[in-house]
Amino acid sequence: MKPNSLKPIEKKSVTKEEEDLLRDKLSNYCERNRLFCTSTRSICKSYRAIYINGETKLLLINPVVKKYGDERISSQEVSEFDTKGRKARTVIRATSIEVECDNLGTVLFSGDTETNQRDLNECIMVQQLIDLLDGFTIADRNINQPIRVPVQYTRNQLVLAKNSEGIIEHIKYKNVQKYIDKGYTIL
């Protein structure tokens, strides 16, 4: 995993008035931009909070993931904070998490692809928002790696083989075993 791209937002105490103000600002931001959830990172506040604009409206003050479930899923995600372009990235996410926050205590988020896709999406979004508060973007969590496909050679295809002294030779694949026995490696 790459180092943090963003500066983490530190935990700090929040008064009831500040909590109400954060709830109003984040709720308005979600409504105005038609978002399901957002964090204080989006409105440039120094508070550590996320707001979920779902069936049950939730404001989580100083959220921290305490426990990740055992099951994982590959998630295709796009980050608004990715400065290298808005392309989807593959991120491994837990299908259930336990979040500790100052105002609500412990909150559980979980779902699965078969029966609770909506809850799973909420769980993934909460993980993404907490990552942002911790200073990690989707690009930092990206696991996209080129898939290595075994090379299939045809019988008369020319391949490069190199010996221990660094000498490289072009040989037909059908003759490669003789060279491998002599200590050559295929490039």
Side-chain angles (χ1 to χ4, degrees):
M1 180 172 34
K2 299 178 191 175
N4 298 23
S5 293
L6 304 169
K7 183 180 177 194
I9 297 175
E10 300 297 322
K11 288 176 76 169
K12 70 179 197 180
S13 299
V14 176
T15 65
K16 181 65 175 149
E17 294 80 27
E18 291 171 323
E19 183 178 331
D20 292 338
L21 184 63
L22 278 172
R23 181 178 284 108
D24 290 342
K25 286 189 177 203
L26 291 171
S27 172
N28 290 336
Y29 185 81
C30 280
E31 294 296 327
R32 188 172 56 248
N33 294 298
R34 297 181 183 168
L35 297 173
F36 175 73
C37 57
T38 191
S39 72
T40 49
R41 174 80 67 188
S42 298
I43 59 173
C44 301
K45 293 290 177 187
S46 60
Y47 296 101
R48 183 180 171 86
I50 61 176
Y51 181 77
I52 301 168
N53 193 27
E55 291 175 17
T56 303
K57 313 262 189 250
L58 291 175
L59 175 68
L60 306 176
I61 304 292
N62 294 321
V64 176
V65 178
K66 286 297 183 185
K67 184 178 176 187
Y68 291 93
D70 293 334
E71 291 186 42
R72 301 283 194 258
I73 188 170
S74 292
S75 175
Q76 294 293 316
E77 302 176 12
V78 178
S79 174
E80 63 183 292
F81 295 99
D82 186 1
T83 58
K84 295 178 182 158
R86 292 183 166 244
K87 67 180 191 177
R89 312 252 183 180
T90 303
V91 179
I92 300 297
R93 297 288 186 191
T95 59
S96 64
I97 59 172
E98 188 176 297
V99 177
E100 187 72 32
C101 55
D102 290 353
N103 61 330
L104 299 176
T106 302
V107 182
L108 301 174
F109 296 94
S110 67
D112 61 60
T113 56
E114 295 169 8
T115 58
N116 294 329
Q117 182 67 43
R118 186 179 196 156
D119 292 341
L120 178 61
N121 289 340
E122 182 178 68
C123 181
I124 289 170
M125 287 182 213
V126 168
Q127 289 174 71
Q128 183 181 1
L129 291 174
I130 292 174
D131 277 353
L132 286 173
L133 295 175
D134 292 338
F136 294 101
T137 65
I138 291 170
D140 297 330
R141 299 276 192 210
N142 181 25
I143 61 156
N144 285 349
Q145 297 294 327
I147 298 172
R148 300 214 180 254
V149 177
V151 179
Q152 298 293 323
Y153 296 107
T154 59
R155 181 173 163 74
N156 288 317
Q157 182 176 354
L158 288 175
V159 295
L160 294 174
K162 178 174 146 182
N163 69 5
S164 60
E165 297 169 2
I167 298 172
I168 298 174
E169 297 194 31
H170 289 292
I171 56 173
K172 287 188 176 182
Y173 183 70
K174 65 183 176 185
N175 299 325
V176 79
Q177 191 58 48
K178 293 180 212 171
Y179 286 86
I180 290 174
D181 292 341
K182 293 179 187 175
Y184 281 76
T185 56
I186 297 175
L187 301 178

